[in-house]
Amino acid sequence: MQVFDVQLDHTRYFVRSLPFGFKSMVDQSIEFWRLADSNFDRRWCEKRLQFYFYDLTANGEKAMTKMLKVVFSDWGFKVHIGAPGTQESLEGLRIADVLKNRRGHPTVLVALIGYLTQKLEIDLRVVEGDRHGLLKVISPDENWYFSLEKGGERLSTEQVLESMQLGGKTEFLEEVSKERLFVKYLEQIKEEFVLRQDWANSILSLSWILELQPSSLKAIGERAQLYFKLDRKRHCL
């Protein structure tokens, strides 16, 4: 039980950097999986990210359209969401597997693409990234929209408007902060761990959510229930 207690003492590893950008999101994701998975190879992830960045810069790909073509066509990345509770679903969220298999959940692909654009000084925004899979690039002259689900294809105004039609109801394209996107990512991971009855990593996910949203009653309640289930009643409050 001592190992379990040590694993739960994890918030000291959470380093909040301001402003919270895509690089912060990727760095925190790597650190999270280092704690959650004893087989996680942090150094391999960092080297692979460096390789992708240098591959882009070596080819002079600093325009968003060309960069996404490299990511989706040349490197072969694609959006893929496995059925909840399956190994495929967990691999789509685990950053090392996404880098290795070149397929994964939209949230992870957004973070990885955002990490590259931040290093290339491209002003990238996320627009309801988990729902529409849309990215928005801010330029001095005009804003551009790109679809992850369509392999990084640049969308016309008509296609953007079409993507806003969900169930006959028009949705506004609101930008999502990187911090909020990371919270959504942690929530998705937590759901996978709960389905596996991996209570230690479920608590890990919820505690990291509370580092970003300390007043979240939902996360506080869920974590308290898990502590109670594990007979850690002194941690419930």
Side-chain angles (χ1 to χ4, degrees):
M1 303 305 288
Q2 184 179 4
V3 174
F4 184 80
D5 287 335
V6 169
Q7 186 174 3
L8 295 187
D9 185 19
H10 52 263
T11 52
R12 69 180 183 274
Y13 296 106
F14 186 95
V15 180
R16 183 174 184 133
S17 58
L18 295 174
F20 195 96
F22 286 115
K23 185 179 184 304
S24 302
M25 185 175 175
V26 170
D27 289 345
Q28 294 285 21
S29 298
I30 290 173
E31 184 63 19
F32 176 89
W33 285 109
R34 186 186 70 80
L35 295 171
D37 183 356
S38 60
N39 295 317
F40 183 79
D41 190 341
R42 175 176 185 163
R43 185 60 183 156
W44 181 89
C45 282
E46 293 171 344
K47 284 184 176 180
R48 184 53 61 98
L49 285 169
Q50 288 176 357
F51 165 77
Y52 285 134
F53 173 68
Y54 289 131
D55 192 33
L56 281 175
T57 54
N59 289 285
E61 303 297 0
K62 293 190 176 181
M64 188 66 179
T65 305
K66 293 181 179 179
M67 194 201 86
L68 289 177
K69 178 181 179 298
V70 171
V71 171
F72 288 100
S73 297
D74 298 352
W75 294 344
F77 277 88
K78 63 181 179 179
V79 172
H80 181 78
I81 304 175
T86 64
Q87 184 64 23
E88 196 175 39
S89 180
L90 185 63
E91 288 178 356
L93 290 167
R94 193 159 46 205
I95 190 168
D97 288 318
V98 175
L99 288 169
K100 178 181 178 181
N101 302 328
R102 302 187 184 189
R103 65 178 189 176
H105 197 282
T107 311
V108 185
L109 292 182
V110 166
L112 293 174
I113 292 170
Y115 172 86
L116 294 172
T117 58
Q118 184 173 333
K119 291 178 74 70
L120 293 172
E121 299 182 346
I122 298 174
D123 190 359
L124 179 69
R125 313 289 175 88
V126 182
V127 183
E128 291 294 337
D130 184 52
R131 182 181 298 173
H132 300 293
L134 289 181
L135 302 175
K136 181 167 78 171
V137 175
I138 308 297
S139 69
D141 303 319
E142 190 173 357
N143 298 335
W144 308 104
Y145 288 91
F146 299 86
S147 169
L148 289 183
E149 295 177 353
K150 295 184 177 182
E153 177 185 332
R154 180 175 150 186
L155 302 181
S156 65
T157 302
E158 291 74 19
Q159 288 174 308
V160 173
L161 292 173
E162 182 180 342
S163 73
M164 295 167 63
Q165 300 293 329
L166 298 175
K169 180 181 178 181
T170 300
E171 297 280 337
F172 291 103
L173 295 177
E174 296 183 2
E175 292 183 12
V176 180
S177 71
K178 284 76 170 180
E179 189 170 303
R180 173 57 190 151
L181 189 67
F182 189 51
V183 169
K184 292 176 74 171
Y185 175 56
L186 292 169
E187 289 170 345
Q188 290 158 355
I189 294 171
K190 183 263 298 180
E191 291 299 325
E192 285 298 318
F193 285 138
V194 168
L195 289 172
R196 289 168 170 73
Q197 298 187 4
D198 183 343
W199 308 130
N201 280 327
S202 298
I203 291 172
L204 174 67
S205 308
L206 287 164
S207 295
W208 275 47
I209 289 171
L210 288 168
E211 285 294 305
L212 290 165
Q213 295 183 342
S215 60
S216 172
L217 296 179
K218 181 175 181 291
I220 292 171
E222 288 182 358
R223 189 176 67 169
Q225 288 179 339
L226 290 175
Y227 275 132
F228 187 82
K229 182 190 293 287
L230 296 168
D231 198 28
R232 298 294 200 282
K233 296 182 179 63
R234 65 187 179 88
H235 292 97
C236 289
L237 298 178

